[in-house]
Amino acid sequence: MHRDFEITNGICLSQPPHELDLHNDFDFHDLHYLVEDRTVKLYWRRSLGEWVRAGTPTAVCIEFVGVSEFRVHRRDPKLPFTEDSCVRAIGFWTDEDWADGAMVIDRKS
């Protein structure tokens, strides 16, 4: 998989000069899955929380190209709906024998 960004701790997007905490500093708001183009785009907006650093970008989009399978799982009914805009972890699915399905991208910086 070719990427021009890194995911650290499962929730942070690193693409110099930015280190963006998608869990705490951004609210997930949209996704686009284009079957014909085999692309998935995920969109976040900067949170309005006082803790968000000045200079944090107003929006983030991650685009996946050459997608061969796209799955959405049901939300956790134990969590309040206010948590739906908060990413828990970023990962991908694999059918490799050595893996157990979902792989969380969790490279520690």
Side-chain angles (χ1 to χ4, degrees):
M1 174 184 338
H2 170 73
R3 296 184 303 225
D4 65 350
F5 63 89
E6 292 289 334
I7 300 296
T8 58
N9 302 320
I11 60 170
C12 295
L13 173 69
S14 175
Q15 185 184 47
H18 300 289
E19 291 285 335
L20 306 174
D21 183 338
L22 297 176
H23 176 78
N24 293 302
D25 297 344
F26 290 86
D27 297 323
F28 183 73
H29 76 93
D30 200 3
L31 73 85
H32 290 242
Y33 176 41
L34 299 174
V35 176
E36 182 177 33
D37 295 338
R38 295 181 52 210
T39 60
V40 174
K41 293 182 183 179
L42 307 174
Y43 297 90
W44 286 265
R45 291 184 190 140
R46 182 177 59 208
S47 174
L48 300 176
E50 294 176 7
W51 60 87
V52 181
R53 290 175 299 159
T56 298
T58 58
V60 173
C61 174
I62 300 177
E63 180 178 16
F64 298 91
V65 178
V67 174
S68 59
E69 184 173 349
F70 179 66
R71 299 180 190 185
V72 177
H73 292 270
R74 69 180 183 90
R75 65 178 305 282
D76 185 343
K78 296 175 189 166
L79 295 176
F81 284 99
T82 55
E83 292 296 311
D84 286 356
S85 64
C86 183
V87 67
R88 187 177 81 189
I90 295 177
F92 61 93
W93 282 92
T94 182
D95 292 327
E96 297 292 332
D97 292 337
W98 54 266
D100 188 24
M103 301 289 297
V104 173
I105 301 172
D106 193 23
R107 186 184 70 80
K108 305 282 191 230
S109 52

